[in-house]
Amino acid sequence: FTQTKERARVVDFAAPYMKVSLGVVSPTKAPIKSVDELEGKTLLVNKGTTADAYFSKKYPDQALLKFDQNTESFDALKDGRGVALAHDNALLWAWAKENPGYVVAIGELGEPEFIAPAVKKGDTALKDWVDQEVATLTKDGRLKAAYDKTLQPVYGDKVSADRLLAACVPCTGPAWSGPSRFSRRRGQ
């Protein structure tokens, strides 16, 4: 589950194993490399998503064309109804790999969100065990090996594992209280 304050009210999150940020995909022949390059241009987003909220709040003057479905947003990008599309970077990297002519020129934007197992609120024994397992899988390289086997083929060589795997430093026991104990990659 993506760790959110709302979800944390009803579950306890164990140590995260992945992270995701916003990204921006655009045509390779006209790559958008910074948010400043969007000024006066239309950006495509899905309604109600993190991308919609981020740009609506941080860049209220940014022209947004909003869609209900991913397929509508990506079709709009292909049709040229916007110069770029903002969404979760993991989705965009996979899509760009499968769609030649597009590039994720902004790979991390804003604060990353962490994906972690959730356990029943107050079940500290289970949470501590899951924390320890995530730490062990990270430390002994099995998490990275799983990434290499299952996700690296999806993202290709342009996306290194450290851009998506949450690196524990350290993440064991009841002392862990949230993503602040994990390395973060600052966005633009």
Side-chain angles (χ1 to χ4, degrees):
F1 295 97
T2 303
Q3 293 177 320
T4 65
K5 291 177 183 177
E6 295 78 20
R7 289 178 179 156
R9 290 185 191 114
V10 295
V11 299
D12 287 330
F13 283 104
Y17 55 90
M18 286 190 74
K19 60 186 175 182
V20 65
S21 297
L22 289 178
V24 177
V25 65
S26 51
T28 305
K29 57 187 168 197
I32 300 295
K33 298 178 183 175
S34 76
V35 174
D36 294 340
E37 294 177 26
L38 291 168
E39 188 174 339
K41 300 172 184 169
T42 300
L43 177 66
L44 308 168
V45 297
N46 284 29
K47 293 177 188 172
T49 61
T50 305
D52 183 7
Y54 178 84
F55 280 96
S56 294
K57 181 178 179 182
K58 296 243 182 214
Y59 301 94
D61 295 330
Q62 177 62 54
L64 299 177
L65 183 54
K66 302 178 184 187
F67 296 92
D68 291 318
Q69 303 292 323
N70 285 344
T71 53
E72 295 171 311
S73 299
F74 286 108
D75 284 347
L77 180 63
K78 288 179 177 180
D79 294 345
R81 288 179 269 165
V83 296
L85 186 152
H87 211 302
D88 290 348
N89 59 1
L91 173 66
L92 296 181
W93 283 322
W95 186 85
K97 182 177 180 278
E98 294 297 317
N99 290 272
Y102 293 91
V103 62
V104 181
I106 302 176
E108 284 105 7
L109 185 63
E111 290 294 321
E113 293 182 330
F114 291 87
I115 300 172
V119 300
K120 183 179 176 183
K121 196 84 170 156
D123 191 342
T124 56
L126 180 57
K127 181 188 170 304
D128 291 349
W129 180 82
V130 174
D131 285 346
Q132 186 60 50
E133 289 300 305
V134 171
T136 299
L137 293 169
T138 300
K139 186 176 180 181
D140 70 14
R142 285 184 285 166
L143 186 62
K144 170 72 166 60
Y147 174 90
D148 290 343
K149 183 177 180 180
T150 61
L151 295 177
Q152 195 278 334
V154 173
Y155 299 118
D157 296 330
K158 292 182 180 178
V159 181
S160 61
D162 70 319
R163 294 180 92 176
L164 289 169
L165 295 181
C168 295
V169 277
C171 57
T172 59
W176 186 76
S177 62
S180 61
R181 299 271 310 231
F182 294 82
S183 65
R184 290 181 173 213
R185 186 183 275 270
R186 279 273 187 218
Q188 294 179 346

